Each structure stands twice: as structure tokens, then as C-alpha cells.
Amino acid sequence: MGEIKIPELAESITEGTVAQWLKKTGEYVEKGDYIVELETDKVNVEIISEESGILQELKANEGDTVQVGEIIAIVSEGSANTKAAEEPPKAAVPEAPVVNEAPPVKEEPSPLKPEAKGYPIASPSARKLAREKGIDLSQVLSNDPLGRLRAHDVIEHDRRKEQPAPPAPKEKETKQPKAEANPGKPTERVRMTRRRQTIASRLVEVQQNTAMLTTFNEVDMSNIMNLRNKRKDQFHKENDVKLGFMSFFTKAVVACLKKAPLLNAEIQGDEIVLKKFYDIGIAVSTDDGLVVPVLRDADRKNFAEIESDIMTFADKARNNKLSLADLQGGTFTITNGGVFGSLLSTPILNGPQVGILGMHKIQMRPVAIDKERMENRPMMYLALSYDHRIIDGKEAVTFLARVKALLEDPESLLFEA
């Protein structure tokens, strides 16, 4: 008899939600088989069985919240052959002819191939997407040589469907309690995902527990855009990665953090922890909300390494492949609302960090060159939110002005240590 427990996931993660059981009671599982998908605050993880045997009991249902160390299933001793051998006598008790049906039991697929029993091998993102769209994964075709289903397979299957999705959601909709303020009006109640609940909780916590202020500036992107247009082909040829804007901003931020160390710190009790390393969080939007993978040792990376890491993060985020290690830590965050068209916003701190830089949409605006001339320039508003408990306004404004100066003279970034 063996117990399946929720393992230690990460220092900051103490619980999760059972998203989907990958095995059913009565099935044989091998040690190392994935048996359940767990949705945590940051990523979805698949929990493996530490025992081989028959899955005797599930102690948590899909949607239940479970704690680290909690027992979620019981595995009894036995093997695939043991289960097969036990089944014929049950059928043989009523009448002898049933005994002849025992041979088909031997034709069961190997327990090492869960897809043969009607449980396709699929990534967490594929299963999540299928659940949201009401798609049976056994009907989805895989483009993977090993038969593993991924999110893009589910998307492609959904596009090929000639008829709309089953009306099940509409039936649920009619059963949901109607809003009291608008009786008779159609409504729909959707349970927040664990990740969305965590995002909501942390944002409220930051607002309540910090003295957050935001200062603004604007940067003329002309020189960066000219330099990028001039060097992008050669850069791509030599490094096999595109030259974007984020590497310029990351370099500028790191250079300025070295001169304003309090923005690279955090508060612990009555102490200020000054961090002598520069792990920059890069905010990435996903269907489940914002995630912030961390660019480690950004001060030691060149432009190509920064762009390559950011591209990897974006690809992982799209395919729900970010690991807990990718998301942990971080000393300062950069977020870019401009990719969605935001002209100006107030970014909220990513606690326990005390600073976050918001980038915005590049827009042509008339700019006074001198007393006599005006020109249309590609301008971007910058927003720096900071914790006023340890950062004074002067330091925050000076930091943002330095960032602006470096970005408007991008070649100067080459001389920053």
C-alpha cells in the first residue's frame, strides 16, 4: 500500500488546485507515471506516482484545493497482470460461458501507453485548452512524432470543426443564479483560476502594504529606431535572433540601478535588503494572466543573450512551459503595455520588489527641437512606480531621467559597466 502526496513545489507555493486526474481508480500505474495535473499560483505541474500498483482511491476531486504534503491518492500493491487475473472470476460467477470472455482482457494496452486506454498524452496547456473549449482530446490529431498533444493541436482541431461547440455551456448558463440587479437578464458565472486569484490577491496586497507612487517621463525613440534599423539585419545574421527594443531598456535599467541601489532592494521587517545582483523580471502576457519570468544576471549578458532569453520566455509562456525556477526571484521588473496599444498607464509593483518600469506605445508626436523648430518624433511615455517607504521622489525622478538619457543616446550603453 502506497500513498501519493503533493510534493514540495517551491518555497513560495504551499497549495494547488487539482486540475485534472490523468488516471482513474482501478487503473495500474507504474512508478514515474503522471497521475494528476496540479494548477498552482504560477504554473501547472504534473505530479508523478512514487509507487507502482493499482490506483485504489482518489482522495481529492478535480477543483479541490490541496496542500503540499497532503495525501491525494492510494496505490495498492499489484501489477497489470494481477488486475487482469482478478477480473475473469467476477464475470465467471454467474454463468460458465462468461469465462470464455477472459482472453480479451489480455489484449488490454500496456499501462505504459495511457493513450491506448483513452487517455491521450497531452501537455498541461493542451488539456486546459481542451477543457475550456469542451473538446474531447481523444478526437484531436497530433502532429508530434511521439503522439503527444500540444496546445496548437487543440487549436487546429477547434478550427476544423464545422459545427459550433456543444450547447452544454448554455445549459449551465440558464442554471446559474441570475444577477439580482438585473433579473431576467442572461448572465454567466466563471470560476477564477488559481493563477487569477493569486494575481488579484497579490495586487491588492501590494496596494495595501506599500506606499506606491508613480513618476512619468517620455523618451524620444528616434536614435534607438535608427540604430536598430541600421544594425538589425547584421545582428540577426550573427546571432540568429532579432534585435528588439527590450534589450536596450534592460541595459539602460541595469546601468541606472547600479547608481540607484535602493530601487534594486526590498524591505524585510525593519531592514532594507540591498541586492548586489540584477535579475530583471520581464512581464509576459498569457491567456491566464500576466507572468514575470526572470532574466538572471542581466548585467552580465550582451544584447544577443538578452534578446534570446526573452524570446525563449515568450515561447515558453505561449505553450505553458514556464517552470517555477523561471518565475522565482527578480529584483526589478519591466513591463510593456505598449504592445497592446497602451499610451500611458500606472504599473503596479511586483512585490516584494520596490520598483517597476512601464513601457508604452511608440507614437509620433510634435516635439519642440528649439525655440524655432518643431518636428514629429517617435515618442514613448515611461512610467516608474516605486515604493515611497524607502525611495524618495528625487531618487525615483533621477533614475527615470537617467534611463531616458541612455535610451536617447543608445550608443552610450556600450560604455556602461
Side-chain angles (χ1 to χ4, degrees), residues 8 13 37 57 61 85 89 102 112 123 169 174 182 212 231 242 266 286 309 320 349 383 386 398 401 414:
E8 292 287 342
I13 297 179
E37 179 186 349
E57 181 183 359
N61 298 319
L112 297 177
S123 67
T174 59
N182 299 286
M212 194 182 79
R231 300 293 185 182
K242 293 181 179 180
E266 70 174 77
T286 70
D309 285 352
N320 201 23
L349 292 172
Y386 59 98
T398 301
L414 301 175

Side-chain angles (χ1 to χ4, degrees), residues 382-398:
L382 299 179
L384 173 69
S385 292
Y386 59 98
D387 193 337
H388 203 8
R389 290 180 297 170
I390 63 171
I391 301 165
D392 294 331
K394 176 183 176 181
E395 187 169 20
V397 172
T398 301

Side-chain angles (χ1 to χ4, degrees), residues 16-182:
T17 300
V18 177
Q20 182 181 19
W21 281 102
L22 309 180
K23 298 286 187 179
K24 292 184 178 181
T25 53
E27 282 194 70
Y28 175 76
V29 295
E30 284 279 1
K31 181 178 180 179
D33 280 356
Y34 292 112
I35 63 168
V36 65
E37 179 186 349
L38 191 70
E39 181 185 355
T40 71
D41 298 346
K42 297 180 178 179
V43 294
N44 284 23
V45 293
E46 293 174 322
I47 307 301
I48 64 172
S49 173
E50 296 293 343
E51 306 284 344
S52 295
I54 304 299
L55 189 58
Q56 183 177 357
E57 181 183 359
L58 303 181
K59 290 184 170 292
N61 298 319
E62 293 181 0
D64 287 353
T65 297
V66 291
Q67 308 291 325
V68 168
E70 182 177 338
I71 299 172
I72 57 171
I74 301 295
V75 176
S76 62
E77 295 182 359
S79 64
N81 293 333
T82 301
K83 181 174 183 265
E86 290 175 352
E87 289 180 355
K90 295 179 182 178
V93 171
E95 52 186 10
V98 180
V99 179
N100 295 329
E101 297 180 2
V105 177
K106 298 180 181 179
E107 298 176 4
E108 282 192 4
S110 166
L112 297 177
K113 298 180 179 179
E115 71 276 14
K117 287 188 174 184
Y119 298 92
I121 298 178
S123 67
S125 59
R127 285 195 292 271
K128 182 177 184 299
L129 191 59
R131 288 198 305 273
E132 292 174 350
K133 293 182 175 293
I135 295 174
D136 182 359
L137 282 177
S138 64
Q139 304 298 318
V140 179
L141 298 178
S142 171
N143 293 317
D144 191 297
L146 299 179
R148 186 177 176 89
L149 295 174
R150 302 188 183 278
H152 62 264
D153 296 319
V154 179
I155 294 172
E156 191 62 30
H157 175 83
D158 189 49
R159 289 175 179 170
R160 287 197 299 263
K161 288 194 304 183
E162 296 180 357
Q163 297 182 350
K170 293 184 179 180
E171 295 177 2
K172 291 181 180 180
E173 182 177 323
T174 59
K175 296 177 183 179
Q176 296 293 346
K178 295 182 177 63
E180 295 181 3
N182 299 286

Side-chain angles (χ1 to χ4, degrees), residues 214-243:
T214 304
T215 184
F216 302 94
N217 210 320
E218 62 178 348
V219 57
D220 184 345
M221 296 291 289
S222 299
N223 290 334
I224 285 183
M225 295 177 73
N226 292 337
L227 179 60
R228 179 172 176 267
N229 290 334
K230 181 180 178 181
R231 300 293 185 182
K232 65 180 181 180
D233 292 337
Q234 180 183 354
F235 185 88
H236 186 269
K237 181 179 180 181
E238 293 178 355
N239 301 291
D240 196 30
V241 65
K242 293 181 179 180
L243 178 60

Side-chain angles (χ1 to χ4, degrees), residues 250-270:
T250 302
K251 281 288 188 180
V253 161
V254 170
C256 294
L257 287 175
K258 291 180 178 180
K259 297 179 180 179
L262 284 176
L263 277 156
N264 200 53
E266 70 174 77
I267 299 175
Q268 292 184 3
D270 59 356

